Amino acid sequence: MDPLWTGCFCLQCIREKEVGVVEDLGQFKRLVKEGPSCIVWPLQSVVGRLSLRVQQLDVLCETKTKDNVFIQVGVAVQYRVVTEAAYDAWYRLTSPTSQIQAYVFDVIRSTVPRMELDEAFESKDDIAGAVLEQLQSVMKDYGYAIVNTLVTDLAPDSKVKASMNEINAARRLKEAASHQAEADKVRQVKNAEAEAEARYLSGMGVARQRMAIVQGLQSSVAEFSQEVEGATPKDVMDILLLSQYFDTLSTVGANSLILEHDPATVAKLQRQVGVSFLRDGSGKDLLS
């Protein structure tokens, strides 16, 4: 062995899901995978370690929409180092996160200004797809694979949010008022229909009641005339009218009302009712 050789073998351990970059006197030597690896120290050294796990970069970009509303767009970029291209990932980019952020800004500020605010909220997947397509085509040359991009937030100014909420609230109040008016209309129509039906049924009941009264009177007059010899239908009607008159007085008296009573009034009422009910329009006596 050369007596000037003062180097020694050194054991380096690389963690799981990592790759180490080994240099020999400042020059790239090789990549070492997870596990123990021997290097010649101090000629060689592990100058860096790259994680192979999926990482996430959160980017917040301010831009404006087609209708001149400034919004904050939050984008989450999920990426990882390609094992076979770890050399490019380590040596070709000084700051991969800054590179990714710059491309996200470029895509967001060229896509969102072509959309109105409502359209931007509806097209979050389109925005995320445009960012993903751009990053995948660019970052693969630098040893990075873009797993996915997500638009996590679209935040306009607080005043714009308040106005949007007011517009939505006014629209909902208008719809509620329309439904309330329609309900009131249906309620009124149903009440009118119920009242008309009630009046119709009440009229039917009154008509049937009067019909029953008339039939009862007819039956009573006929039976009384047959049972009492010499009694005429007119005599029977006089007795019925007199009994109805006394029933009326009894009902009115039950309500603490004071009425003057004259027997002549009964006779006069009897004559008037008899003339009205027992003669037709031509003046002919209906009971004769």
Side-chain angles (χ1 to χ4, degrees), residues 22 25 46 58 74 110 120 127 130 154 160 176 202 246 272:
V22 178
L25 296 178
V46 179
D58 295 318
S110 62
I127 299 173
L154 284 173
V160 177
S202 178
F246 283 115
Q272 291 177 350

Side-chain angles (χ1 to χ4, degrees), residues 132-146:
L132 178 63
E133 182 180 0
Q134 178 71 10
L135 289 178
Q136 284 180 337
S137 62
V138 172
M139 297 304 295
K140 67 180 181 180
D141 295 333
Y142 297 100
Y144 286 90
I146 305 301

Side-chain angles (χ1 to χ4, degrees), residues 63 65 67-72 116-118 121 154-168:
T63 184
T65 60
D67 47 353
N68 296 321
V69 177
F70 281 89
I71 59 174
Q72 295 279 351
E116 295 186 353
L117 182 60
D118 293 339
F121 277 99
L154 284 173
D157 185 77
S158 58
K159 294 181 179 180
V160 177
K161 285 184 179 180
S163 63
M164 292 175 66
N165 291 334
E166 290 178 1
I167 292 173
N168 188 38

Side-chain angles (χ1 to χ4, degrees), residues 48-65:
R49 303 167 188 263
L50 291 173
S51 176
L52 301 179
R53 290 178 293 180
V54 176
Q55 303 177 66
Q56 178 168 305
L57 174 65
D58 295 318
V59 181
L60 189 62
C61 176
E62 184 179 25
T63 184
K64 75 171 185 175
T65 60

